[in-house]
């Protein structure tokens, strides 16, 4: 069994990005600039955004964090998005999700100029990705594909089961896995709450991508000997430590790992790759590599 070290791969990619940024600034170009909007004080979102800001520093990027309280209006957020869209010193920006219930996430996502949408959530980027055109690919799916590639996990003709159909992980990772590309060319089954015979489908899979947010959902009896397992789950569960919680993935790691060819840990698997994909998109935005 090979433990996929997302932290190590992410560190390698960040140093590749930092080297490229050093060349850009040596030529007199300005460093890439990522802005992040964070609403409220959700613990998970605070942590994710802090990691994104830290990664910007490691890559030599400029970052700007714009914070609002939970009671911010949709109009105020839309106004901030308009000004970031118009600000030539900002290459890309993200609005950390989830947002409070009184704000329409879809309206917010669609207000972002797709040329600065480094999360790859705007319908133009999602649509372009689904037909294989250059675009900002959303960060978690792109990070998963990069891990499969770097660990030479063959997807061509592989039976892949994706657990979960969210817009930010399940659907886009299924799209990338089935694309005529390498990695890609997989036969993909997307399972969700209405799926019948889910255990049997998982047990027949060469690759399982677990992204449903149910800790320990994938048990050893659902996994074929030699399968590759990618765990996207990051649920906070109570723990006897100084935080009072720890992150737990969607896979029953201790019992599943011995059966696998490859498996990602939680934390230290997909999470660091998600952040690095955002950095890659920001660099592409700064270089106008995808859109003028
Ligand atoms: N919430 C959970 N994952 C993400 C992400 O990749 N981007 C944003 N903006 N919010 C998230």
């Amino acid at each position: 069994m090979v433990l996929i070290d997302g932290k190590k791969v992410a560190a390698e990619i960040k140093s590749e990005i930092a080297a490229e940024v050093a060349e850009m600034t040596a030529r007199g170009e300005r460093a890439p600039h990522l802005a992040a909007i964070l609403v409220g004080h959700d613990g998970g979102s605070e942590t994710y955004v802090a990691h994104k800001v830290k990664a910007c520093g490691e890559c030599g990027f400029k970052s700007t964090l714009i914070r609002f309280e939970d009671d911010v209006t949709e109009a105020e957020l839309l106004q901030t998005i308009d000004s970031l869209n118009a600000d030539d010193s900002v290459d890309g920006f993200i609005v950390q999700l989830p947002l409070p219930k009184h704000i329409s996430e879809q309206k917010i996502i669609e207000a972002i100029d797709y040329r600065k949408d480094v999360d790859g959530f705007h319908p133009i980027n999602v649509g372009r990705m689904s037909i294989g055109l250059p675009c900002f690919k959303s960060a978690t799916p792109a990070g998963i594909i990069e891990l499969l590639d770097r660990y030479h996990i063959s997807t061509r003709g592989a039976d892949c089961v994706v657990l979960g159909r969210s817009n930010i992980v399940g659907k886009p990772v299924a799209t990338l896995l089935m694309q005529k590309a390498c990695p890609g060319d997989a036969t993909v089954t997307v399972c969700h709450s209405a799926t019948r015979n889910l255990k049997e489908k998982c047990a027949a899979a060469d690759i399982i991508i677990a992204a449903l947010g149910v800790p320990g959902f994938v048990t050893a009896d659902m996994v074929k000997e030699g399968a590759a397992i990618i765990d996207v789950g990051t649920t906070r569960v109570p723990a006897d430590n100084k935080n009072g919680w720890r992150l737990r993935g969607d896979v029953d790691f201790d019992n599943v790992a011995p059966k696998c060819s490859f498996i990602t840990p939680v934390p230290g698997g997909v999470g660091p790759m998600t952040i690095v994909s955002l950095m890659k998109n920001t660099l592409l935005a700064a270089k106008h590599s995808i859109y003028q």
Side-chain angles (χ1 to χ4, degrees), residues 115-274:
R115 293 164 298 188
K116 293 192 177 189
D117 168 39
V118 285
D119 255 335
F121 291 169
H122 191 284
I124 290 181
N125 282 311
V126 176
R128 288 177 66 91
M129 186 183 75
S130 76
I131 55 173
L133 293 176
C135 63
F136 293 120
K137 294 188 184 108
S138 58
T140 304
I144 293 168
I145 296 294
E146 180 100 40
L147 279 182
L148 294 172
D149 195 24
R150 294 214 175 203
Y151 278 83
H152 308 294
I153 299 169
S154 175
T155 56
R156 185 172 163 76
D159 289 319
C160 291
V161 163
V162 176
L163 298 174
R165 56 178 158 183
S166 72
N167 287 342
I168 63 178
V169 185
K171 280 184 210 157
V173 83
T175 300
L176 292 173
L177 285 167
M178 76 171 84
Q179 214 131 54
K180 201 169 180 60
C182 180
D185 277 340
T187 303
V188 183
T189 304
V190 180
C191 298
H192 45 75
S193 49
T195 296
R196 279 194 288 252
N197 303 324
L198 187 138
K199 272 194 181 201
E200 289 77 3
K201 287 181 169 68
C202 288
D206 301 307
I207 300 173
I208 298 175
I209 316 278
L212 12 69
V214 180
F217 182 88
V218 178
T219 48
D221 57 325
M222 295 164 73
V223 174
K224 181 168 79 176
E225 201 71 46
I229 310 288
I230 306 291
D231 190 348
V232 191
T234 51
T235 307
R236 285 185 175 193
V237 296
D240 201 8
N241 59 22
K242 72 173 163 39
N243 292 326
W245 56 268
R246 67 179 177 91
L247 288 182
R248 177 132 197 257
D250 287 349
V251 177
D252 174 12
F253 184 91
D254 291 348
N255 294 308
V256 168
K259 293 185 81 175
C260 298
S261 54
F262 295 89
I263 188 166
T264 57
V266 174
V270 173
M273 293 302 295
T274 297

